[in-house]
Amino acid sequence: QQYNEYFRKISQRIEMIDLKNGDVLEVLKKAACLITDYSSVAIEFAYLRKPLAYYQADYDQFRMYHLPEGYFDYEADGFGKVCYSEEDLLQWIDGRYKVGFKQEELYRKRTEEFFTFHDERYCERNCEAIRTLLERKSKEVGRNATKKD
């Protein structure tokens, strides 16, 4: 968002979005594909089962000056193609366009393996897990108090 002023709209098909006045999830739902660099927004987008690409033309500099290699390898673990050049990225966009922005099979499989559930019950499961942990903790505190007596 802080760099929006440096971009210009060159087509009526491109929408520049100010997220101060919008909802990220709504933007992701409307999008046919996502191009990101290193952002975790790719995980949310992958959950939607849509194609995405990581455009990392600055990979070496990024790793040297910002964030060293971590546990997540974009090529081995990512949910979309890693493009290191503008040409790669444009070819990827063209390829996705030609197939109606269908998610590539490799990344569809990774997505399916990564997300245990694909439903609308995440909040319910999270609340239940927290409730279970709190009940377990409460029982432990009770047992410890009894042991001291």
Side-chain angles (χ1 to χ4, degrees):
Q1 290 294 292
Q2 66 188 9
Y3 300 108
N4 274 359
E5 67 184 89
Y6 299 105
F7 292 89
R8 59 186 169 86
K9 186 174 173 176
I10 58 173
S11 167
Q12 293 301 324
R13 298 180 73 175
I14 296 173
E15 186 178 350
M16 299 297 288
I17 298 169
D18 181 354
L19 293 178
K20 294 175 200 147
N21 302 319
D23 177 3
V24 173
L25 186 56
E26 288 306 313
V27 171
L28 296 180
K29 285 180 184 178
K30 286 177 25 179
C33 69
L34 174 73
I35 300 165
T36 186
D37 50 8
Y38 308 93
S39 175
S40 62
V41 74
I43 295 170
E44 283 125 33
F45 199 76
Y47 184 78
L48 298 173
R49 309 310 200 256
K50 294 182 179 185
L52 67 96
Y54 301 96
Y55 182 40
Q56 299 178 346
D58 64 343
Y59 185 82
D60 292 333
Q61 289 179 327
F62 181 80
R63 290 303 183 195
M64 187 178 299
Y65 299 110
H66 297 287
L67 188 65
E69 291 284 346
Y71 68 91
F72 187 82
D73 181 322
Y74 290 91
E75 297 231 11
D77 306 316
F79 301 107
K81 179 169 175 53
V82 179
C83 301
Y84 296 104
S85 70
E86 184 178 335
E87 182 180 328
D88 269 355
L89 181 62
L90 293 174
Q91 286 177 358
W92 178 83
I93 294 169
D94 187 53
R96 293 302 90 214
Y97 173 77
K98 287 177 179 173
V99 296
F101 290 99
K102 185 178 175 194
Q103 189 180 35
E104 298 100 315
E105 186 64 18
L106 169 65
Y107 306 115
R108 186 197 63 74
K109 285 180 182 178
R110 282 187 192 169
T111 301
E112 294 300 323
E113 290 171 6
F114 184 81
F115 294 103
T116 305
F117 302 100
H118 192 253
D119 59 22
E120 296 180 5
R121 296 186 48 232
Y122 273 93
C123 289
E124 180 183 335
R125 280 190 292 276
N126 284 335
C127 286
E128 186 58 38
I130 292 168
R131 187 177 299 120
T132 301
L133 289 171
L134 290 173
E135 288 171 1
R136 190 177 306 151
K137 185 72 169 174
S138 176
K139 288 177 185 176
E140 287 175 14
V141 168
R143 277 194 302 260
N144 289 340
T146 304
K147 288 178 184 178
K148 290 179 183 177
D149 294 336

